[in-house]
């Protein structure tokens, strides 16, 4: 028997990422509330730009993402040359890991930290060190306690998925102050636009004068462009230049670049998306709590609901499925007794409330 080619050490130890479920057998149009997408979809301006891009899809994209770069830089008041664009912010994490990690290094993140950070770290034969989150939040102290002389990157998402918790501006500052200068702090702000807490702050300002902070954002949430895969990082120039050496030259597509550039200028759609979440996040939370289930305070466009045990969470999941509703089981995050539910449209949220009310009533 010829031997089959063996992947690099560690690759087969990686549990494949399982995305939010998107289908229920026998249900033509399920309500998909499993991936924290934008319930309103993409805005009109982004859609029009996408359609207009059709005439250019035979051309390679601008590998520098020039127009999008300028639009993002102007919108947030950032230096354009300090931006890295990726095929989703997921690719920015993968590029950071690929650029900075070698065998035996490690990354640090919270116990319930977003799984994408870990996969490419393991692919680079690095270790993943997880800080305990007894209060379902990654604190600066717990993260710093994991840092050792092989730590190269600390990942924190604020707001965090799947817990919905966030770090205050003061906590992020404390975390940064506690890190050695040669360790990169990645602050993942995928859900930034949905935060209303007054003590949260974007880390763009802190990153401006730091040599080791990368702040990431995505077009997949507030802009409703998850299917086009665009995210970016704001990083020190030296990090941008290092990453650019290995970034695939045409990593973001022509329609993706054009739609994202239009989306940045579509304030009305951003506001409508925020309003929907601000209206329904508290209503959904109150209603579900009223049925006797625990709901974690959320700063994102989703809520995490805790049931009595894993069995009850699985039964609730099945019941929601039977009503055509798909939510996210989060056993892969070590939370088998929880379900994560994306804030949907009014009709979808009412359907979730009705279904959980019936489920609670037995
Ligand atoms: C915390 C967090 N960061 C990043 C992302 C990924 O974003 P993107 O679609 O830009 O890869 C997600 C997606 O769900 C997320 O929850």
């Amino acid at each position: 028997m010829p031997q089959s080619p063996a992947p690099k050490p560690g690759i087969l130890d990686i549990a494949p990422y399982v995305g939010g479920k998107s289908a229920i057998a026998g249900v033509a149009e399920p309500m998909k509330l499993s991936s924290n997408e934008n319930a309103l979809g993409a805005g009109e301006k982004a859609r029009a730009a996408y359609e207009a891009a059709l005439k250019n899809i035979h051309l390679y994209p601008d590998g520098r993402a020039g127009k999008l770069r300028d639009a993002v830089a102007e919108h947030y008041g950032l230096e354009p040359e300090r931006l890295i664009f990726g095929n989703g912010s997921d690719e920015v994490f993968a590029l950071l890991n690929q650029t900075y990690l070698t065998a035996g290094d490690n990354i640090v993140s919270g116990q319930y930290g977003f799984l994408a950070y870990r996969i490419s770290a393991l692919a680079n034969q690095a270790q993943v060190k997880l800080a305990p989150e007894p209060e379902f939040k990654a604190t600066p102290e717990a993260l710093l306690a994991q840092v050792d002389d092989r730590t190269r990157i600390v990942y924190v998402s604020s707001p965090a998925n799947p817990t919905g918790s966030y770090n205050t501006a003061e906590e992020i500052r404390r975390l940064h102050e506690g890190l050695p200068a040669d360790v990169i702090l990645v602050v993942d702000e995928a859900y930034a636009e949905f935060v209303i807490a007054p003590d949260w702050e974007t880390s763009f300002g802190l990153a401006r004068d730091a040599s080791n902070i990368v702040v990431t954002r995505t077009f997949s949430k507030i802009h409703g462009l998850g299917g086009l895969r665009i995210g970016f990082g704001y990083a020190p120039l030296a990090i941008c230049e290092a990453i650019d050496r290995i970034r695939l030259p045409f990593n973001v597509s022509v329609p993706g670049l054009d739609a994202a550039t239009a989306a940045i200028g579509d304030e009305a759609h951003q506001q409508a998306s925020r309003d929907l979440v601000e209206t329904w996040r508290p209503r959904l939370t109150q209603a579900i709590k009223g049925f006797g289930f625990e709901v974690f305070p959320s700063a994102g466009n989703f809520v995490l609901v805790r049931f009595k045990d894993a069995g009850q969470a699985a039964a609730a999941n099945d019941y929601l499925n039977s009503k055509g509703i798909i939510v996210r089981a989060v056993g892969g995050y070590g939370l088998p007794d929880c379900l994560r539910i994306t804030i949907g449209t009014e009709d979808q949220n009412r359907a979730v409330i009705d279904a959980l009310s019936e489920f609670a009533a037995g």
Side-chain angles (χ1 to χ4, degrees):
M1 274 288 279
Q3 266 192 333
S4 58
K8 291 192 298 189
I11 297 287
L12 297 182
D13 300 331
I14 299 171
Y17 182 81
V18 181
K21 197 170 131 171
S22 57
I24 303 174
V27 180
E29 284 192 34
M31 298 181 206
K32 183 169 183 278
L33 303 175
S34 56
S35 299
N36 300 342
E37 290 141 339
N38 187 325
L40 300 181
E44 269 174 36
K45 290 188 177 173
R47 284 167 190 267
Y50 181 86
E51 277 177 26
L54 198 54
K55 66 178 185 306
N56 289 327
I57 56 174
H58 60 298
L59 302 174
Y60 281 99
D62 168 10
R64 221 190 128 259
K67 281 191 197 141
L68 180 58
R69 182 177 294 274
D70 290 344
V72 167
E74 189 181 327
H75 186 80
Y76 295 104
L78 304 173
E79 308 89 310
E81 65 281 7
R82 289 182 57 180
L83 297 169
I84 306 156
F85 290 90
N87 202 260
S89 44
D90 280 356
E91 193 192 15
V92 179
F93 310 138
L95 285 167
L96 280 162
N97 285 341
Q98 213 183 331
T99 307
Y100 287 93
L101 300 175
T102 185
D105 288 339
N106 66 64
I107 66 159
V108 169
S109 104
Q111 173 183 3
Y112 303 119
F114 188 46
L115 292 175
Y117 313 144
R118 309 181 196 176
I119 295 175
S120 59
L122 294 169
N124 288 291
Q125 291 159 286
Q127 317 287 316
V128 176
K129 297 186 75 182
L130 298 177
E133 296 186 44
E135 306 289 330
F136 300 93
K137 167 175 167 170
T139 63
E141 291 69 29
L143 290 164
L144 289 171
Q146 295 299 321
V147 172
D148 61 25
D149 58 3
R150 293 304 305 265
T151 303
R152 306 300 313 275
I153 310 180
V154 173
Y155 283 95
V156 63
S157 53
S158 181
N161 166 25
T163 58
S165 61
Y166 70 95
N167 292 102
T168 65
E170 200 276 317
E171 287 170 334
I172 298 286
R173 259 191 294 278
R174 217 161 67 224
L175 174 58
H176 179 239
E177 273 166 22
L179 283 177
D182 62 347
V183 175
I184 297 173
L185 171 60
V186 178
V187 187
D188 173 359
E189 297 186 348
Y191 300 97
E193 296 85 354
F194 303 111
V195 185
I196 54 170
D199 54 356
W200 182 91
E201 218 175 76
T202 175
S203 291
F204 283 143
L206 188 66
R208 169 159 289 122
D209 299 318
S211 60
N212 62 340
I213 299 182
V214 180
V215 181
T216 61
R217 292 282 182 111
T218 181
F219 283 83
S220 304
K221 311 296 174 186
I222 190 78
H223 299 294
L225 296 177
L228 290 185
R229 314 302 305 123
I230 314 133
F232 68 90
Y234 173 62
L237 205 52
I239 292 183
C240 296
E241 286 174 356
I243 283 180
D244 252 345
R245 291 165 194 259
I246 59 162
R247 179 179 62 81
L248 294 180
F250 306 114
N251 60 334
V252 184
S253 72
V254 166
L257 290 170
D258 289 357
T261 306
I264 273 279
D266 194 346
E267 295 288 350
H269 184 258
Q270 292 164 43
Q271 192 56 50
S273 307
R274 255 192 305 271
D275 288 348
L276 181 74
V277 169
E278 281 182 32
T279 303
W280 279 99
R281 186 171 49 195
R283 288 189 192 171
L284 210 53
T285 302
Q286 283 317 314
I288 299 173
K289 277 185 176 171
F291 307 142
F293 307 120
E294 186 181 351
V295 184
F296 294 82
S298 173
N301 66 342
F302 57 89
V303 290
L304 185 68
V305 182
R306 181 141 74 155
F307 294 85
K308 186 173 58 141
D309 53 30
Q312 194 189 41
N317 200 7
D318 288 347
Y319 192 78
L320 288 162
N321 278 186
S322 77
K323 299 289 174 183
I325 302 166
I326 306 177
V327 300
R328 183 66 171 270
V330 281
Y333 281 93
L335 295 163
D337 54 348
C338 296
L339 295 176
R340 192 193 69 198
I341 306 175
T342 304
I343 312 289
T345 59
E346 173 165 353
D347 287 353
Q348 292 173 333
N349 299 326
R350 290 194 190 284
V352 167
I353 292 170
D354 289 348
L356 286 178
S357 162
E358 291 162 18
F359 175 75

